[in-house]
Amino acid sequence: MNTGLKHWKEAATLILATGHRLGGDTLSTRTVACSQPGNTEGRPRAPQVFDYNVLLLKRSSKSGFMPNAYVFPGGLVDSSDFSSEWLDIFKAFTNSPNFGLRRVTQPPDTRPPIFATDRLKLGSPIPGEVAFRICALRETFEESGVLLFVSKEDQLGLLKSINDRSATDEIKHYKVNQLCSSELNRWRTLVNQNPSNFVRMCRELEVLPNIWALHEWSNWLTPERGYGVKRFDTAFFICCLEDRPHALQDQKEIEHFQWSAPADVLRSFQARDLWIAPPQFYELRRLCRFASLSNLHAFARQRSTDGCEHWLPVIFLQEDSYISVLPGDQLYPSNNSDKIEVDTKAEHGEGSESALHRFLISDPYSPCLEVNIAPKYNHMLPLTGPLDSTTPV
């Protein structure tokens, strides 16, 4: 972990998309969905076109950062995520670059610092791309009870697949929570008490955190005028599972969870049944381009080796609303200093000649996206019109 950062703390988040069918694991727990606040039951709904849901967790009202917000599972990186103890856990994979993760083709000088930072110089032998996936998996386990792992029996087969694969080969990784429920619950309690118990759990259960199931998706930083004094540099990953795993809320940071189609979450947001922050809004709007889980998985896996951008929203007040500009917008500042400013006197142009990549926020529940730029690194633009205006792919 990078303790030298001035303004941000490093974190990782997992967008977990799953098919509707419940998995056949042994963890006996009730999946919370429509019975909890934030459901769309009782209101007219557009025909269901998505064959998958995403996992959202409601933060506690006592949370010091975005209380009551619905978020993807994730949290702060811990020093144990960079522990050299992982070298023994991943022993069979340490001869492969980044423990067998596919190579990202993005030029090193354009990589987000969260991935480009030399972790060896910070005292850790664990590459950042590995450690932040470990963090995302650990936090997902802590907050929801969902554990993505590779068993000891499957490690040799996975290693062979990694060594033999081409750039388009597929590696199956759908094993979730197929462990004794009491054993999982015991370890989850221990990991919540101390994150370093995650590596201990993997050693004793002879499992690997399934870092290969996670695909690099985006990198968001909390803006200066964000949600209080805390600011985070967060790596977003995405994982697609054929079946829905069982989940449990942690009764501490998370009040409850729900599985919902991306468009249903956005409709609940519009109806003020729940609140999501702009990064979640943007990413859910991006997921609205995909009705099919298999298409989403294929896209995420294929484009993840292209890399991603480093997005620090810059917010300024214009009349009675806020404008939050993102890289590529005509108003986005070109300097790279710690504290960047927008030229608010710049013309807010309309039409195709104006490069737009921004949120217009007149109300916390009614952000409007204006995007007409070409996305970098073969990514997908978010849906900007009405939720049913575009047929997803």
Side-chain angles (χ1 to χ4, degrees):
M1 57 193 301
N2 191 350
T3 57
L5 290 176
K6 294 181 180 179
H7 304 295
W8 292 274
K9 293 184 177 181
E10 293 176 318
T13 283
L14 179 59
I15 302 173
L16 185 59
T18 76
H20 297 304
R21 187 178 60 182
L22 282 173
D25 56 80
T26 60
L27 183 58
S28 58
T29 175
R30 184 169 60 93
T31 299
V32 182
C34 292
S35 61
Q36 295 289 359
N39 69 79
T40 56
E41 190 174 7
R43 293 199 305 276
R45 295 172 59 186
Q48 176 67 38
V49 295
F50 294 87
D51 69 358
Y52 67 92
N53 291 327
V54 294
L55 177 62
L56 286 175
L57 312 173
K58 184 183 180 184
R59 295 183 63 83
S60 167
S61 59
K62 300 178 182 179
S63 174
F65 181 74
M66 293 197 301
N68 297 312
Y70 279 75
V71 297
F72 304 121
L76 281 174
V77 69
D78 186 78
S79 58
S80 63
D81 300 325
F82 283 93
S83 171
S84 59
E85 292 184 64
W86 289 111
L87 293 177
D88 184 55
I89 303 296
F90 286 96
K91 182 165 50 178
F93 298 85
T94 52
N95 289 330
S96 301
N98 283 350
F99 296 9
L101 294 173
R102 293 180 303 148
R103 186 177 66 87
V104 176
T105 59
Q106 182 179 1
D109 60 339
T110 66
R111 288 287 279 155
I114 197 169
F115 295 122
T117 298
D118 187 341
R119 302 293 164 169
L120 274 174
K121 292 183 178 179
L122 297 178
S124 171
I126 309 302
E129 294 182 9
V130 172
F132 286 103
R133 282 172 169 82
I134 291 173
C135 173
L137 293 167
R138 174 182 55 76
E139 286 284 342
T140 298
F141 180 54
E142 289 181 25
E143 294 180 334
S144 70
V146 174
L147 178 63
L148 281 72
F149 68 90
V150 176
S151 67
K152 184 177 182 180
E153 294 76 19
D154 293 336
Q155 287 182 32
L156 290 179
L158 175 60
L159 182 62
K160 186 177 186 304
S161 298
I162 289 173
N163 291 335
D164 295 345
R165 73 185 174 200
S166 66
T168 57
D169 282 341
E170 183 61 84
I171 295 176
K172 298 297 182 184
H173 37 54
Y174 292 125
K175 184 169 290 187
V176 180
N177 280 4
Q178 293 177 341
L179 294 168
C180 172
S181 60
S182 60
E183 187 78 350
L184 272 182
N185 287 334
R186 182 177 75 87
W187 278 111
R188 186 174 174 222
T189 299
L190 291 171
V191 175
N192 268 298
Q193 291 172 351
N194 188 336
S196 65
N197 283 323
F198 192 58
V199 64
R200 177 184 159 206
M201 178 195 76
C202 292
R203 180 184 297 108
E204 293 194 17
L205 297 183
E206 297 185 319
V207 299
L208 293 177
N210 199 337
I211 60 174
W212 306 276
L214 275 57
H215 305 297
E216 184 177 313
W217 187 256
S218 57
N219 174 213
W220 288 84
L221 286 82
T222 310
E224 183 179 0
R225 300 175 185 176
Y227 317 100
V229 296
K230 294 182 179 180
R231 301 173 68 183
F232 302 97
D233 182 353
T234 306
F236 278 64
F237 299 98
I238 191 168
C239 174
C240 298
L241 301 176
E242 290 177 327
D243 300 330
R244 180 193 302 177
H246 288 295
L248 279 173
Q249 61 199 54
D250 70 355
Q251 305 292 342
K252 289 176 54 182
E253 296 181 24
I254 304 302
E255 291 189 354
H256 61 258
F257 61 86
Q258 67 179 51
W259 298 93
S260 299
D264 286 342
V265 178
L266 293 167
R267 292 188 185 98
S268 294
F269 177 49
Q270 285 181 327
R272 298 173 180 260
D273 290 335
L274 54 81
W275 184 78
I276 52 178
Q280 281 75 19
F281 180 83
Y282 191 104
E283 298 300 0
L284 287 166
R285 278 277 178 170
R286 188 140 58 179
L287 294 184
C288 281
R289 297 289 189 182
F290 300 91
S292 163
L293 181 67
S294 61
N295 287 348
L296 174 61
H297 175 66
F299 172 81
R301 186 179 183 280
Q302 181 176 5
R303 68 121 256 117
S304 64
T305 57
D306 294 323
C308 69
E309 287 189 273
H310 182 68
W311 281 0
L312 171 59
V314 178
I315 302 174
F316 63 95
L317 181 64
Q318 188 173 80
E319 296 179 350
D320 295 329
S321 62
Y322 286 94
I323 296 181
S324 176
V325 295
L326 296 169
D329 191 280
Q330 63 172 348
L331 295 183
Y332 199 82
S334 58
N335 67 77
N336 294 316
S337 63
D338 289 340
K339 188 174 182 179
I340 56 180
E341 299 287 345
V342 168
D343 180 7
T344 57
K345 296 180 181 179
E347 182 181 355
H348 178 192
E350 302 291 341
S352 58
E353 294 184 359
S354 301
L356 303 176
H357 192 200
R358 63 182 63 176
F359 290 93
L360 303 180
I361 306 173
S362 57
D363 178 275
Y365 291 87
S366 304
C368 177
L369 272 173
E370 290 187 352
V371 186
N372 64 6
I373 65 169
K376 291 186 177 181
Y377 307 112
N378 291 314
H379 224 314
M380 183 69 71
L381 288 178
L383 181 68
T384 55
L387 290 174
D388 302 311
S389 63
T390 301
T391 302
V393 296

